[in-house]
Amino acid sequence: MRILLINHYAGSESYGMEFRPFYLAREWAEMGHDVTVLAATFSHLRKKNPTVEHDFSEEEIVPGARFCWVKTPSYHSNGPMRMLNMTLFYQKVKYKAKHLAEKYRPDAVIASSTYPMDIYLAKRIAEFSGGNFFFEIHDLWPLSPVVLYHISEKNPLIQMLQRAEDFAFSQSKKVISLLPHADQHMRERGFDTKKFVCVPNGVVIENRKVDISHTPQYETIMKLKDEGKFICMYLGGFARANALEDFIACAKDLDQDTVLVMIGGGLLKDNFEEEIKTQHLQNIILLDPVEKSQVNAFLQLADCLYIGAKRCELYRYGVAMNKLFDYMLSARPILCGVEASNDMVGDAGCGITIEPESPSAIVEGIRLFKEKSPEERDAMGRRGYEYVLRYHDYKKLAQQFIDALTK
């Protein structure tokens, strides 16, 4: 099968987030499919962006799979330059739709960007190529900005995005979503959900050992372990949505033998450092981000892991946090302060699910972990590892996606 996946923000292991298009493309290519990922040259999500001379420059990622880059300008915030970035990507791909269809001759065209405007591009290319087009939902747009930023549903931009999403629901052959209950949103919009398929996020299973002993983060953590400290770790972005204020606030009520280790970066890191200094908190350590290849090795150093999120109406459609899959792959027990319609930690039996936005619940959860023996905590972690291998290995997810495209 020839597949064209359109994802404005697609990245790779060398460029950084977002990784899902890359992992799927790699697996599809290994299965014998011919795959093209169409993406913009600039994305705020990547750690590095490609430099190309011309629009629609190709870069082979693995044999049988390639990125096709569309030149777009850089931006630094949600302002006019980001809007220009999206507009130029859309206009350039629209203008070259027939050329792309004739060059790649896709049997399946997948619109996979966060914002739904590229559904029109997918439809146009599919019509030229004689293939089918599909809609992949990551976040629910325009519902997300309406809920998160209280933008009126009558806003012209919101109405334009809503028309695009409705078009996708009605015209695509299948609606494929990372969110397990996004079909409920389809029903609320008045559409039949028979074409809905959930293909969740996943992990790449690698057996290679990564040496982190040379890093300053490792030295700091090992010093804590040598002192007999119980380590509850958070690894990820320092963003408001992750409820890290509650994680920091719980520190003053923890036992002296417990340390919170936070590895990552983001806009709130300076604020957190100031808060820790002002409150004279001695049992929180903030460490710099680590390479993606090192994540699993660092997570394995913890006694337990924390993941949290602010309460959000959108979570009634489910959550698909990449961080949670990484946590489960590390085989460490998880303290999960996320309220959603799905609960992977509970399903897998790999940790404790607590009330979100509650420092006291975090303290109690850590206490419960400390009461368990190391063997009991290890057993919980192994259940998470086995669960994620069973249901979220990208090799299996790639096949599920192909099944959705062909059945």
Side-chain angles (χ1 to χ4, degrees), residues 230-298:
F230 184 92
I231 297 174
C232 180
M233 182 184 293
Y234 170 86
L235 192 154
F238 289 12
R240 199 167 302 280
N242 295 328
L244 296 178
E245 294 93 340
D246 306 307
F247 193 55
I248 290 173
C250 85
K252 64 182 184 298
D253 297 320
L254 293 172
D255 297 332
Q256 291 301 307
D257 66 343
T258 301
V259 176
L260 307 181
V261 174
M262 302 173 66
I263 302 177
L267 296 175
L268 295 179
K269 189 167 186 178
D270 290 344
N271 294 351
F272 290 161
E273 288 175 341
E274 182 63 28
E275 177 72 11
I276 291 167
K277 182 179 179 181
T278 302
Q279 297 293 326
H280 305 289
L281 300 174
Q282 302 297 317
N283 55 349
I284 305 183
I285 306 292
L286 269 60
L287 300 176
D288 288 338
V290 299
E291 296 295 324
K292 181 170 176 57
S293 62
Q294 300 173 327
V295 164
N296 189 270
F298 275 103

Side-chain angles (χ1 to χ4, degrees), residues 206-364:
E206 295 180 315
N207 296 318
R208 62 181 178 179
K209 293 289 185 180
V210 177
D211 180 16
I212 59 173
S213 61
H214 61 285
T215 65
Q217 296 96 325
Y218 177 83
E219 293 178 4
T220 299
I221 294 170
M222 291 309 297
K223 183 174 184 295
L224 295 172
K225 292 176 75 71
D226 290 342
E227 294 171 356
K229 301 294 187 182
F230 184 92
I231 297 174
C232 180
M233 182 184 293
Y234 170 86
L235 192 154
F238 289 12
R240 199 167 302 280
N242 295 328
L244 296 178
E245 294 93 340
D246 306 307
F247 193 55
I248 290 173
C250 85
K252 64 182 184 298
D253 297 320
L254 293 172
D255 297 332
Q256 291 301 307
D257 66 343
T258 301
V259 176
L260 307 181
V261 174
M262 302 173 66
I263 302 177
L267 296 175
L268 295 179
K269 189 167 186 178
D270 290 344
N271 294 351
F272 290 161
E273 288 175 341
E274 182 63 28
E275 177 72 11
I276 291 167
K277 182 179 179 181
T278 302
Q279 297 293 326
H280 305 289
L281 300 174
Q282 302 297 317
N283 55 349
I284 305 183
I285 306 292
L286 269 60
L287 300 176
D288 288 338
V290 299
E291 296 295 324
K292 181 170 176 57
S293 62
Q294 300 173 327
V295 164
N296 189 270
F298 275 103
L299 291 173
Q300 290 180 12
L301 299 177
D303 293 293
C304 68
L305 305 170
Y306 169 76
I307 184 171
K310 297 291 187 183
R311 283 189 178 89
C312 181
E313 177 188 337
L314 295 169
Y315 292 163
R316 63 194 177 100
Y317 304 109
V319 293
M321 299 174 175
N322 286 317
K323 188 186 298 91
L324 182 55
F325 299 99
D326 289 335
Y327 278 17
M328 296 175 81
L329 190 62
S330 74
R332 302 310 302 145
I334 300 167
L335 184 62
C336 180
V338 181
E339 186 176 82
S341 59
N342 61 321
D343 178 11
M344 286 178 53
V345 170
D347 292 342
C350 65
I352 301 170
T353 301
I354 60 172
E355 178 186 359
E357 300 185 72
S358 173
S360 62
I362 298 173
V363 172
E364 177 62 13

Side-chain angles (χ1 to χ4, degrees), residues 117 142 151-163:
M117 295 307 294
I151 301 175
S152 170
E153 293 180 359
K154 296 181 179 179
N155 180 288
L157 178 60
I158 295 298
Q159 291 182 331
M160 180 181 70
L161 293 171
Q162 189 59 70
R163 285 193 296 272

